[in-house]
Amino acid sequence: MAPTTTSTVTLAVNGRTHTVSVDHRTTLLDALREQLGLTGSKKACDQGQCGACTVLLDGRRAVSCLQLAVAVQGRAVTTVEGLADGDRLHPVQQAFLDLDGYQCGFCTPGQICSAVAVIEEHAAGWPSAVTADLRPEAAPARLDAEEIRERMSGNLCRCGAYVSIVEAVARAAGAAGTVEVTAAAGAGARA
């Protein structure tokens, strides 16, 4: 008797429970897009390098192309579709819309999910690679353009909307008045 290559799993996505049958090799991204019809998360590099498929997994960002669907059973998955409250956009979604934090829009869902996590990580006091003072007693790092660019560096935008993305993250974080963003700061920057 050959071993089975499929499993029935229960996925908690955007506050709803879905029971699906998946091949053991099915990624979370493919299950979301193909079986649940949630096409906000984009399939781009399929290697975890571009961030277009970023979702929140138990509140932390994760590239869904590298997560197996069978491995996320019992964990809370939030996609870009699950961020809004009815017709009211999440503050990050609204900031991206208001500040043109997108051009073609392909990377935008992953950028938005990552930005939601970035803001929460910063609020929790997590340092980044550019945080100057890592001592536990130090005040939290200022969420300036450099911090935002570093924290968003796993999400690529082929159109180059980085300046607007940084501004949108800053506004959503409530730090718009303390972030100075110039064309030079955003040009070619990692975001």
Side-chain angles (χ1 to χ4, degrees):
M1 185 175 192
T4 182
T5 59
T6 61
S7 291
T8 300
V9 296
T10 302
L11 301 175
V13 181
N14 299 331
R16 295 183 57 209
T17 303
H18 306 270
T19 301
V20 294
S21 180
V22 294
D23 182 289
H24 294 158
R25 299 166 294 179
T26 302
T27 63
L28 175 59
L29 175 62
D30 287 337
L32 291 170
R33 291 181 60 80
E34 296 170 15
Q35 293 193 290
L36 302 182
L38 298 171
T39 57
S41 303
K42 302 300 186 231
K43 190 167 193 166
C45 74
D46 215 18
Q47 298 175 5
Q49 296 180 8
C50 71
C53 67
T54 302
V55 298
L56 302 176
L57 192 54
D58 292 333
R60 305 228 7 225
R61 54 190 156 162
V63 285
S64 59
C65 71
L66 296 183
Q67 300 287 326
L68 293 176
V70 295
V72 300
Q73 183 165 267
R75 300 180 72 188
V77 178
T78 305
T79 67
V80 71
E81 294 94 340
L83 293 175
D85 183 13
D87 289 338
R88 186 169 177 239
L89 294 178
H90 185 282
V92 173
Q93 292 171 311
Q94 189 63 56
F96 268 71
L97 184 62
D98 293 345
L99 296 168
D100 295 325
Y102 55 88
Q103 284 186 25
C104 78
F106 189 81
C107 72
T108 305
Q111 296 275 1
I112 288 172
C113 284
S114 190
V116 168
V118 160
I119 292 166
E120 291 176 10
E121 291 164 8
H122 178 265
W126 295 11
S128 78
V130 298
T131 302
D133 192 345
L134 300 176
R135 294 174 299 142
E137 65 273 9
R142 195 170 135 243
L143 192 58
D144 60 11
E146 183 181 26
E147 279 283 340
I148 293 169
R149 282 193 305 272
E150 174 59 32
R151 291 170 186 266
M152 293 289 294
S153 65
N155 292 79
L156 303 178
C157 173
R158 293 183 66 161
C159 298
Y162 295 122
V163 172
S164 297
I165 290 168
V166 169
E167 290 172 348
V169 174
R171 176 179 286 179
T178 62
V179 178
E180 183 178 330
V181 180
T182 63
R190 302 174 316 244

